[in-house]
Amino acid sequence: MAAEPKKLNDEVLDKYELVIGLEIHAQLSTKTKIFSSDPAFFGAEPNKHTTPISLGLPGTLPKVNREVVTYAVKLGLATHCRINLVNRFDRKNYFYADLPKGYQITQDELPICKDGYVTISSKDKPSKQIRLNRIHMEEDAGKSMHDRDDKYSLIDLNRAGVPLLEIVSEPDIRSAEEAAAYLSEVRKIVRYLGVCDGNMEEGSLRCDANISVRLKGETEYGCRCEVKNLNSIRNLQRAITYEFKRQVSVIEEGGKIDQNTLNFDAATGVTSVLRSKEMALDYRYFPEPDMPPLHLTEEWVESLRNTLPELPEQRIKKYMTQFGLSESDAVQLTNDKAVADFYEEIATYTKNYKSASNWVNGPLQSLINEKGKDASELGISAKSISEIISLVDSGKINNSAATQQVFPALVNSPDKTVDTIVHELNLVIDTDEDQLSQLIDQAVNKFPDKVAEYNKGKKGVLGLFMGELMKLSGGKIDPKTANKLLIQKIESLK
């Protein structure tokens, strides 16, 4: 295990710049594996999804899954990559017990996608482009299990041959927060495209982080360490934060960083050496002799471009320009495609786009989190939310009643119309100002000492009167009108 980093003050840490590049492995949502017809879905009994091809038995030949190539091109287009019309597979040689052939079929010199970028938005910072070095296709290895038997490690080869896209960034990331934003954005993109479900807890999306430090102002990169198989955004941030402090501590004490592959222990929050970092020569890459190069056509690539959905980056721009939302509201809305789709459906019924955003990012998102369901599975229609917005905007119900009474009733009875719910709950605001004035008189007469305090400058007591008005009216008043008339009444008693 790596030594606990020496505690360093902020002044020392501030001398150094953090440099990060991420390698994200996205497991594709294809029905079958990349080079065979074995099922590729998660959750089967060990070693049930295997055939002679995925086991690497002698005499078998791989054949590429066309859908994997389609998914790779779509992701490349979505991330502004150049698509290599001629690309090929290579053999990457290494020897692990869960790698049945003794090598992995991947892409090295001629990957399918090159030189793209992903735009990220970090809190209180301008948008930033993270450059991509490449996206390439490859097969996954099996899974070693060390906790099932006291004496032996067990191997499950169901995952061997499952298709992966490896998304390799340039070292453009400068903080744990940027790394989290980048991983989140890539996860959004693959989910919008439908090429990967992005479930990190099931291993569908895995991340390796290449981390180094250098003194601020230097142009040469420091020696990097690769932290393997980070399985959550939180653990990615924790590993980066720990490694930054560890590497700075080593350098400050006169040591040097060894280029190692590291493991991150989520329980302790520290990294440890897994093995010495392999170099490209260690893998003895060479062209895969059993597979010819892939030749794609411009026409086919363009046909795929025309099938791309509207992506998060495009929607954020649209929500800010067309709907007038803030960047933070737009980013939050686009975190999930189903939520963004629901918001856009509401926007077809109402022009109050900000209120629609508040409803989706507020009560609706809370309900999604509580139920663990997709926005489209809640049973609440976009039209119903727009009707609530309309009633609030027209002054027929107040926002408090809408969120605390109408929305919960709609959740419990989604087949009822909003109008029916409002009348059943007797929530329609009484617009009779004479009646409201009488209620204001009752509230003011109940607290004469607070009237005096208000007129001496203690404006905070106004909330007491508004609370009393809500109680007297059963919540059936327009807060804006009531507030205006209440102030007039109190100030008339000076």
Side-chain angles (χ1 to χ4, degrees):
M1 182 179 292
E4 185 70 23
K6 180 182 177 181
K7 288 194 174 181
L8 303 168
N9 59 44
D10 290 341
E11 185 177 348
V12 173
L13 291 172
D14 197 49
K15 293 180 353 188
Y16 291 86
E17 181 178 53
L18 180 59
V19 178
I20 307 160
L22 296 188
E23 299 170 9
I24 299 173
H25 294 81
Q27 179 179 311
L28 300 184
S29 302
T30 56
K31 293 180 180 178
T32 57
K33 295 184 181 180
I34 185 169
F35 301 122
S36 71
S37 60
D38 307 8
F41 62 82
F42 176 82
E45 292 182 22
N47 298 304
K48 293 297 184 182
H49 290 172
T50 57
T51 61
I53 295 177
S54 58
L55 292 175
L57 297 185
T60 58
L61 291 173
K63 182 179 179 180
V64 70
N65 183 336
R66 179 187 176 95
E67 195 168 23
V68 173
V69 183
T70 299
Y71 284 6
V73 171
K74 283 187 173 183
L75 182 57
L77 293 172
T79 53
H80 314 282
C81 286
R82 168 172 54 85
I83 308 300
N84 280 334
L85 297 180
V86 179
N87 57 95
R88 71 162 190 244
F89 288 100
D90 300 276
R91 285 191 184 181
K92 179 181 181 181
N93 296 273
Y94 59 98
F95 301 97
Y96 292 161
D98 52 18
L99 191 68
K101 294 194 290 286
Y103 61 85
Q104 177 192 37
I105 301 179
T106 182
Q107 292 189 304
D108 181 35
E109 289 188 353
L110 291 175
I112 192 166
C113 307
K114 284 286 291 180
D115 304 329
Y117 66 86
V118 170
T119 303
I120 64 168
S121 299
S122 300
K123 189 176 181 181
D124 302 325
K125 292 183 179 179
S127 297
K128 176 179 178 179
Q129 288 183 357
I130 305 299
R131 293 172 300 150
L132 299 185
N133 177 282
R134 54 160 52 208
I135 299 173
H136 64 260
M137 302 176 286
E138 64 184 21
E139 62 180 339
D140 206 348
K143 182 179 181 181
S144 297
M145 293 172 287
H146 308 293
D147 57 354
R148 304 289 181 90
D149 190 280
D150 292 337
K151 296 182 179 179
Y152 302 102
S153 289
L154 305 180
I155 305 294
D156 178 8
L157 294 176
N158 279 343
R159 203 171 65 186
V162 165
L164 300 176
L165 293 181
E166 182 170 348
I167 305 133
V168 182
S169 83
E170 296 288 1
D172 290 348
I173 300 168
R174 293 292 177 267
S175 69
E177 292 73 27
E178 283 190 0
Y182 170 72
L183 179 55
S184 297
E185 195 63 29
V186 170
R187 184 170 62 174
K188 279 200 291 184
I189 292 170
V190 298
R191 284 176 166 173
Y192 269 66
L193 292 172
V195 303
C196 172
D197 62 25
N199 291 332
M200 298 190 74
E201 64 276 9
E202 293 180 0
S204 299
L205 201 70
R206 308 193 293 275
C207 181
D208 303 335
N210 291 291
I211 305 166
S212 65
V213 300
R214 62 185 178 187
L215 287 170
K216 288 181 177 177
E218 287 191 355
T219 56
E220 292 292 322
Y221 293 124
C223 187
R224 64 187 169 89
C225 291
E226 182 180 22
V227 185
K228 298 290 284 186
N229 293 328
L230 296 163
N231 62 357
S232 72
I233 293 174
R234 179 171 177 268
N235 282 340
L236 171 66
Q237 291 182 283
R238 292 173 66 206
I240 290 170
T241 300
Y242 178 86
E243 264 302 290
F244 175 57
K245 292 178 180 178
R246 184 189 74 82
Q247 292 187 24
V248 170
S249 178
V250 169
I251 294 169
E252 283 289 308
E253 291 178 351
K256 68 181 185 67
I257 305 300
D258 294 322
Q259 187 170 338
N260 290 322
T261 298
L262 307 177
N263 178 62
F264 176 72
D265 188 328
T268 61
V270 304
T271 59
S272 58
V273 176
L274 195 60
R275 57 183 180 270
S276 296
K277 176 63 182 172
E278 301 92 340
M279 307 300 285
L281 288 175
D282 297 322
Y283 292 126
R284 295 182 295 113
Y285 284 104
F286 61 85
E288 170 55 59
D290 290 334
M291 299 188 69
L294 285 174
H295 291 262
L296 314 180
T297 67
E298 285 280 8
E299 292 76 17
W300 185 66
V301 170
E302 286 307 306
S303 72
L304 292 180
R305 189 190 301 275
N306 294 332
T307 68
L308 294 181
E310 195 173 31
L311 294 164
E313 184 180 353
Q314 296 165 309
R315 285 191 168 187
I316 288 170
K317 289 179 182 176
K318 180 173 77 174
Y319 295 172
M320 293 173 66
T321 57
Q322 186 175 322
F323 297 154
L325 300 182
S326 67
E327 185 176 18
S328 60
D329 282 345
V331 169
Q332 188 175 348
L333 285 171
T334 58
N335 280 337
D336 181 84
K337 185 176 183 296
V339 169
D341 289 344
F342 193 84
Y343 172 75
E344 293 203 9
E345 190 178 352
I346 297 175
T348 64
Y349 296 108
T350 179
K351 300 300 181 186
N352 192 338
Y353 304 124
K354 174 59 179 173
S355 184
S357 170
N358 292 341
W359 273 95
V360 173
N361 285 336
L364 192 81
Q365 188 61 59
S366 296
L367 185 64
I368 290 170
N369 296 341
E370 176 189 334
K371 301 289 186 183
K373 290 184 176 181
D374 189 285
S376 61
E377 299 171 336
L378 296 175
I380 298 173
S381 71
K383 192 171 189 300
S384 294
I385 300 298
S386 72
E387 288 171 352
I388 296 176
I389 293 171
S390 177
L391 288 172
V392 173
D393 288 348
S394 64
K396 292 182 179 178
I397 61 173
N398 59 51
N399 196 62
S400 174
T403 55
Q404 296 174 20
Q405 297 182 69
V406 179
F407 184 72
L410 184 63
V411 171
N412 293 328
S413 304
D415 293 334
K416 288 186 178 180
T417 67
V418 172
D419 192 58
T420 298
I421 291 172
V422 167
H423 282 90
E424 283 181 352
L425 296 175
N426 194 26
L427 295 175
V428 178
I429 286 176
D430 187 350
T431 57
D432 185 342
E433 289 198 6
D434 289 338
Q435 178 67 26
L436 178 56
S437 294
Q438 292 178 27
L439 296 178
I440 289 173
D441 286 343
Q442 291 180 48
V444 168
N445 291 335
K446 186 174 180 179
F447 303 106
D449 54 330
K450 299 300 180 183
V451 171
E453 288 181 19
Y454 178 90
N455 284 323
K456 289 180 179 177
K458 197 173 181 181
K459 306 301 182 184
V461 299
L462 200 63
L464 173 68
F465 293 107
M466 287 298 296
E468 183 66 17
L469 281 177
M470 285 293 180
K471 189 188 302 182
L472 292 171
S473 67
K476 295 163 59 178
I477 59 171
D478 175 20
K480 289 183 180 179
T481 303
N483 192 70
K484 175 185 172 184
L485 294 177
L486 176 63
I487 291 173
Q488 289 177 356
K489 177 66 178 179
I490 294 176
E491 290 183 347
S492 71
L493 299 175
K494 283 184 180 178

